[in-house]
Every structure is written in structure tokens, then in C-alpha cells.
Amino acid sequence: MGALALGYAAPLPWPGKNDLMAHLVGRGLGVLGIALLFWAGWTLHRHRTTFLPDKAATHLVTDGPYRFRRNPIYIADILILFGLAEITQNIWFVILAAPFALLVTWLAILPEERHLEDQFGDAYRDYKARTRRWI
């Protein structure tokens, strides 16, 4: 929402090329983000645990996209922002992706990690040791 508002209030020129390859790459990132979001959500659903970050997890999920990164949903969010940037030609989506990543790490991921460590103990610590966070 902030990127849309900034696009109107303080528009910046689109730095990319307006060609087919740029459109395919930018939109491809967005589609990849949507696919990753659905894969991560489906994986959580299969394990009957919550998708919502403010709810307690009932299972430690380490398969699906979670075998590669501990926070695939947030990776998906960033990819979707990049896709939105290309679709709208609004560079603010890209610029605001970095503060979004920092805020998500601080406000969501770190508290989630504390919760998962309390909830699952050594199993989570082992998973955490072998699987990168999200970047």
C-alpha cells in the first residue's frame, strides 16, 4: 500500500527497460512468488499447522519449501513485490522491499523463532542449524 501511495505522491522513473525480456523476468518473479506462497501454505496445511504468524505452531514443518529455507512465505512476499513493481512500473515496490525485509525479520521472524524453539526444543535447533533463515 505504501509503494502505491509513494508512486502517486513521489513518482520515480522506472529504471528498467520496457522490453519483453524485462517484462518476462519481472512478472516471472511475481509468479514464482505466488507459486512459492501456495506451496508453503499447502505444506503447512498438510501438516495441520497454522499459516498465521500470530498463532502457535502445532507441528514443526521441515519439508516442502521449508527444507530449503525456514521462511519461504516471506521470500514469496518479496518476489511478489518485485512482480508488482514490474506490472505497475513503480520502483517504490523494489525500494520498500528492503525495509519490509528488515521489519519482517525483526517483528515476525525473530519472535517466531523464539516460539518454535520454546515449542519444539532440540528438534527446532537442529532444523535451524541446517536450514538458512530466508536470505
Side-chain angles (χ1 to χ4, degrees):
M1 204 56 135
L4 287 175
L6 283 167
Y8 287 110
L12 294 173
W14 181 252
K17 293 189 175 211
N18 193 14
D19 63 5
L20 178 62
M21 187 54 74
H23 294 311
L24 290 174
V25 170
R27 293 170 188 196
L29 290 173
V31 169
L32 182 63
I34 292 168
L36 180 57
L37 181 65
F38 277 102
W39 186 24
W42 176 250
T43 302
L44 293 174
H45 175 76
R46 279 189 306 109
H47 287 277
R48 292 183 166 75
T49 193
T50 185
F51 184 88
L52 302 172
D54 62 327
K55 303 291 183 200
T58 56
H59 293 86
L60 179 61
V61 177
T62 61
D63 64 328
Y66 295 91
R67 88 181 133 222
F68 306 109
R69 291 289 187 268
R70 295 194 313 262
N71 304 99
I73 292 172
Y74 301 124
I75 296 169
D77 291 341
I78 296 291
L79 291 171
I80 292 167
L81 288 175
F82 291 162
L84 287 171
E86 169 57 37
I87 289 169
T88 63
Q89 300 286 287
N90 181 346
I91 194 64
W92 283 108
F93 281 103
V94 176
I95 294 168
L96 293 178
F100 172 81
L102 292 172
L103 287 170
V104 162
T105 300
W106 182 47
L107 297 173
I109 293 174
L110 295 176
E112 285 173 11
E113 288 179 347
R114 286 190 295 273
H115 160 70
L116 293 170
E117 194 163 324
D118 290 345
Q119 185 85 357
F120 302 108
D122 286 338
Y124 179 71
R125 283 186 282 279
D126 292 343
Y127 171 62
K128 188 174 164 182
R130 70 177 185 274
T131 310
R132 293 183 63 151
R133 181 179 280 149
W134 72 306
I135 300 173

